[in-house]
Amino acid sequence: MARGGYGNTGVPLHERVRVDVTDARAGACPAKHCWISLPVDGSEPRPGLLLEWRKGDVGRWEGRVVYVAALRPGAWATVEEWIPAELLTTG
């Protein structure tokens, strides 16, 4: 079970994704990891999941994200909201 039992394929584990042979994009997961620089609870940058993009009312891009925020001390809640692109970092 050296190297996790997968052999030495040269492809990192995080890049080993099963893809539909007929359309490589069809099976691709659209969600991406992101950082929200100003979460709703006003805390430091928080990791989140970017689900999709849209062009907002004034022509600026917004991302629909899901993340957790402090509801009150010791209590967390899931937040889903559209956030301006300039408040998101992906990659």
Side-chain angles (χ1 to χ4, degrees), residues 32-76:
K32 301 211 178 287
H33 176 269
C34 68
W35 286 93
I36 296 98
S37 62
L38 186 59
V40 72
D41 59 7
S43 66
E44 70 276 350
R46 174 95 19 90
L49 188 62
L50 173 64
L51 303 174
E52 64 180 306
W53 289 105
R54 75 174 180 190
K55 216 165 207 182
D57 294 335
V58 292
R60 294 173 29 191
W61 286 98
E62 300 173 326
R64 185 169 69 117
V65 297
V66 176
Y67 63 99
V68 295
L71 182 60
R72 56 184 67 87
W76 294 84

Side-chain angles (χ1 to χ4, degrees), residues 17-32 53:
V17 179
R18 187 174 179 179
V19 190
D20 188 323
V21 177
T22 58
D23 182 11
R25 303 278 311 161
C29 178
K32 301 211 178 287
W53 289 105

